[in-house]
Amino acid sequence: MFDYKLLAALAAVIEQAGFERAAQVLGLSQSAVSQRIKLLEARVGQPVLMRVTPPAPTEIGRRLLNHVQQVRLLERDLQGQVPALDEGGLPERLRVALNADSLATWWAKAVGEFCAERQVLLDLVVEDQDVGLKRMRAGEVAACVCAGAQPVAGARCVALGAMRYRALASPAFVARHFVGGVDAASLARAPAIVFGPDDQLQHRFLAAQGGGPSFIYHLCPSSEGFVRLTSGGLGWGLVPELQVQGELSRGELVELLPGRVIDVPLYWHHWRTGGELLAQLTGHVTGRAGQWLVPLTSG
Amino acid sequence: MFDYKLLAALAAVIEQAGFERAAQVLGLSQSAVSQRIKLLEARVGQPVLMRVTPPAPTEIGRRLLNHVQQVRLLERDLQGQVPALDEGGLPERLRVALNADSLATWWAKAVGEFCAERQVLLDLVVEDQDVGLKRMRAGEVAACVCAGAQPVAGARCVALGAMRYRALASPAFVARHFVGGVDAASLARAPAIVFGPDDQLQHRFLAAQGGGPSFIYHLCPSSEGFVRLTSGGLGWGLVPELQVQGELSRGELVELLPGRVIDVPLYWHHWRTGGELLAQLTGHVTGRAGQWLVPLTSG
């Protein structure tokens, strides 16, 4: 069998984002951790870590991490059956990637009870909806919520529903930029807000009104910051309606083109061999997401 | 003088997080962008980019980017005096790093008016409060809001005030974990929420109650997600009081140890040679931040 002391050192360095914290968590000296990584690299015959800040796994390192996480989940199942194996009964950690807007809206409501009852700790990784799957593929997370429907090798994919986005701005912003109406030309001239390079929602909204790919925008890689910039009158942007029910009802945000929504489908991806806990979380999330997401339109 | 076509290609590849989008923005073919980067590397005699996804600047690449951004800000000043130089009057972009909690609370209110009136677009970069300065040092941002008081070379630093954090949890969480009172032992046993490896607030709060460095926690790298997990009963954590006035007044969150606050000082760092626009933004931010932040205690 593999030497799991070495693999645990690798996992700690990545999870703790450094050798110093990994050493603290493992109760080892930093040089002992270093030694274990070097030994692991000697065994596999190539580097497992890139020595950058924070350290990043190489391709082979990712495969090893993937394996460590799967083994941990399987160990948890076994501990349920053979309680004596349990070293101190620490709660299990589940690493999940999800899009920022899910984390800012429905996620905690969907999983809160489950985590409290099963003593699960979450390591959440925020990724824009189209890139969470990269984390699954790299074996860095056991599950992910994202917009992609195609499962990666070794994983299953379940549809959750769609997040509904509306194009919103503050009343002052509308008065300043859209006196003559909201159309492709006025939208392209008024600053938009874009979450990051992977956020194409504003582009899609403009295209749906006949606009081109060129417009001016602020970049704001934070869900709550996005809403704050929108209410603060800095720009217009596509915001999950779930996130701004208060702002909409108080009139702090208004819809630019009422009813012209964009629905972004969301899928739950999870490892097939992730053990009982992950299977239960899957049942929990897929059973509850419909309370906050709108049904997926077919086709 | 430098060949700014080459430097603009480098800036576009970094800002657009890839060659394809850089080519779109520059109106060039992808191979033309590639060619310009290669030519730049031939001139400086070493790589300016690491070919990873997304591309990252090398040390020398960072210095070049820093220079490009400073030149752009100076160009803007010049355009104010020599309007004919202005190529189409596109709004200027300012790249600013700030901590997620500032972006989730006071930032938009403090800068909204300024950006709208001066036609400034923001490229916001979210960094935990202790690491924003790294971005300044690397020349990737023109200004930053962070907890560090020591200016980097070429920059000035102004105190803004302090963000006040309170240790909060949902009433259900308190009932489950703190029936016997809130102390170091009960805090360490109840799951905390930690923003990321650089977030030491929960550690500091525990230490102030006489606790050790070991406790169980969820990891949640999102300000709004942090609040959602807290209200959802997943854990306790230090939350900016600015962010949860509604939750506190409605009783959805309660304070674990009333009055035991942690004040995190915030500073505004900005390039000394950043031009008139950055100087004006500095005046604007430093003049207004006191509306939301508490005064810094001396010493």
Side-chain angles (χ1 to χ4, degrees):
Chain A
M1 288 205 51
F2 292 169
D3 186 342
Y4 283 95
K5 281 207 172 62
L6 308 187
L7 291 176
L10 173 62
V13 170
I14 296 297
E15 287 163 8
Q16 302 296 321
F19 282 80
E20 193 180 333
R21 288 203 197 89
Q24 281 171 13
V25 168
L26 294 170
L28 293 169
S29 71
Q30 220 173 306
S31 77
V33 175
S34 234
Q35 203 53 48
R36 287 186 184 188
I37 300 290
K38 277 181 202 148
L39 196 50
L40 181 60
E41 292 182 326
R43 297 256 174 103
V44 301
Q46 51 182 297
V48 297
L49 274 183
M50 290 179 277
R51 269 66 170 184
V52 291
T53 310
T58 59
E59 186 57 38
I60 190 88
R62 283 202 175 121
R63 281 187 222 141
L64 294 174
L65 284 172
N66 187 344
H67 174 76
V68 171
Q69 291 178 44
Q70 290 188 300
V71 168
R72 282 182 185 161
L73 286 169
L74 295 173
E75 280 179 0
R76 184 179 163 111
D77 290 354
L78 188 62
Q79 281 166 10
Q81 300 154 28
V82 191
L85 276 175
D86 196 344
E87 299 175 15
L90 277 184
E92 186 53 56
R93 303 193 76 82
L94 268 181
R95 204 142 204 255
V96 178
L98 70 174
N99 61 317
D101 291 339
S102 286
L103 183 51
T105 54
W106 61 275
W107 172 257
K109 288 178 199 153
V111 303
E113 206 183 312
F114 180 86
C115 291
E117 281 175 9
R118 309 295 168 92
Q119 283 213 300
V120 176
L121 296 176
L122 297 174
D123 274 8
L124 300 176
V125 178
V126 178
E127 290 294 4
D128 209 4
Q129 36 227 8
D130 297 317
V131 294
L133 276 183
K134 284 188 198 161
R135 295 275 195 164
M136 284 289 291
R137 203 172 290 123
E140 292 167 5
V141 297
C144 98
V145 174
C146 74
Q150 195 60 42
V152 301
R156 283 208 185 86
C157 169
V158 189
L160 293 174
M163 193 158 240
R164 176 154 287 175
Y165 288 80
R166 295 181 189 273
L168 306 178
S170 73
F173 188 86
V174 170
R176 185 181 300 123
H177 292 279
F178 298 118
V179 163
V182 178
D183 56 24
S186 58
L187 282 168
R189 278 194 310 266
I193 308 174
V194 170
F195 190 88
D198 290 303
D199 172 14
Q200 296 290 313
L201 288 177
Q202 286 64 228
H203 302 70
R204 280 173 60 186
F205 187 78
L206 255 172
Q209 318 318 323
S214 181
F215 59 99
I216 61 172
Y217 56 88
H218 301 277
L219 273 175
C220 176
S222 146
S223 276
E224 180 143 14
F226 199 107
V227 171
R228 295 272 172 268
L229 292 196
T230 315
S231 351
L234 278 92
W236 66 273
L238 276 291
V239 181
E241 61 177 9
L242 270 179
Q243 198 177 352
V244 288
Q245 283 158 345
E247 283 84 351
L248 284 172
S249 69
R250 290 190 299 271
E252 293 164 18
L253 285 175
V254 293
E255 204 173 351
L256 296 185
L257 290 170
R260 306 264 182 103
V261 302
I262 295 184
D263 286 348
V264 174
L266 289 176
Y267 298 87
W268 173 254
H269 295 257
H270 64 99
W271 288 343
R272 273 191 301 219
T273 55
E276 193 51 37
L277 182 72
L278 186 58
Q280 287 169 355
L281 178 63
T282 293
H284 200 86
V285 169
T286 55
R288 275 163 187 73
Q291 293 177 37
W292 301 282
L293 302 177
V294 300
L296 284 182
T297 48
S298 57
Chain B
M1 288 206 52
F2 292 171
D3 185 343
Y4 284 94
K5 283 208 171 61
L6 308 186
L7 291 177
L10 173 63
V13 170
I14 296 298
E15 287 164 8
Q16 302 296 322
F19 282 79
E20 194 181 332
R21 287 201 197 91
Q24 280 170 13
V25 167
L26 295 170
L28 293 170
S29 71
Q30 222 174 304
S31 78
V33 175
S34 234
Q35 203 52 46
R36 288 185 182 188
I37 300 291
K38 278 181 201 147
L39 196 51
L40 181 61
E41 292 182 324
R43 297 257 173 102
V44 301
Q46 49 180 297
V48 297
L49 275 183
M50 291 180 276
R51 268 66 170 183
V52 292
T53 309
T58 59
E59 186 57 37
I60 190 87
R62 283 202 175 121
R63 281 187 221 142
L64 295 175
L65 285 171
N66 187 344
H67 174 75
V68 171
Q69 290 178 45
Q70 290 187 298
V71 168
R72 281 182 185 161
L73 287 169
L74 295 174
E75 280 179 0
R76 185 181 162 107
D77 290 355
L78 189 62
Q79 282 165 10
Q81 300 154 28
V82 192
L85 276 174
D86 195 342
E87 300 175 15
L90 277 183
E92 187 53 58
R93 304 193 76 81
L94 267 181
R95 206 144 203 254
V96 177
L98 70 175
N99 62 317
D101 290 340
S102 287
L103 184 51
T105 54
W106 60 276
W107 172 256
K109 288 178 199 152
V111 302
E113 206 182 312
F114 181 85
C115 292
E117 282 176 9
R118 309 295 169 95
Q119 282 213 298
V120 176
L121 296 175
L122 297 174
D123 274 8
L124 300 175
V125 178
V126 178
E127 290 295 3
D128 210 6
Q129 37 227 7
D130 297 316
V131 293
L133 276 184
K134 284 188 197 159
R135 295 275 195 163
M136 284 288 291
R137 204 172 289 121
E140 291 167 3
V141 297
C144 99
V145 175
C146 74
Q150 196 61 44
V152 301
R156 286 209 184 85
C157 168
V158 189
L160 293 174
M163 193 157 239
R164 176 155 287 176
Y165 289 80
R166 296 181 188 274
L168 306 178
S170 72
F173 188 86
V174 170
R176 186 182 299 123
H177 293 280
F178 298 117
V179 163
V182 178
D183 56 24
S186 58
L187 282 167
R189 279 194 309 268
I193 308 174
V194 170
F195 189 88
D198 290 303
D199 172 15
Q200 295 291 313
L201 287 176
Q202 285 64 229
H203 301 72
R204 281 173 60 186
F205 187 79
L206 256 172
Q209 319 318 324
S214 183
F215 59 99
I216 60 173
Y217 56 87
H218 301 276
L219 272 176
C220 177
S222 145
S223 275
E224 179 143 16
F226 198 108
V227 171
R228 295 272 170 269
L229 292 195
T230 316
S231 344
L234 278 92
W236 67 273
L238 275 292
V239 181
E241 62 176 10
L242 271 178
Q243 198 176 354
V244 288
Q245 283 159 347
E247 284 84 350
L248 285 171
S249 68
R250 291 189 298 270
E252 292 164 20
L253 285 174
V254 294
E255 204 173 350
L256 295 184
L257 290 170
R260 305 263 182 104
V261 302
I262 296 185
D263 287 347
V264 174
L266 289 177
Y267 298 87
W268 173 253
H269 295 257
H270 64 99
W271 288 343
R272 273 193 300 221
T273 55
E276 193 51 37
L277 182 72
L278 185 59
Q280 287 168 355
L281 178 63
T282 294
H284 200 87
V285 169
T286 54
R288 275 161 188 73
Q291 294 178 35
W292 302 282
L293 302 177
V294 302
L296 285 181
T297 48
S298 57

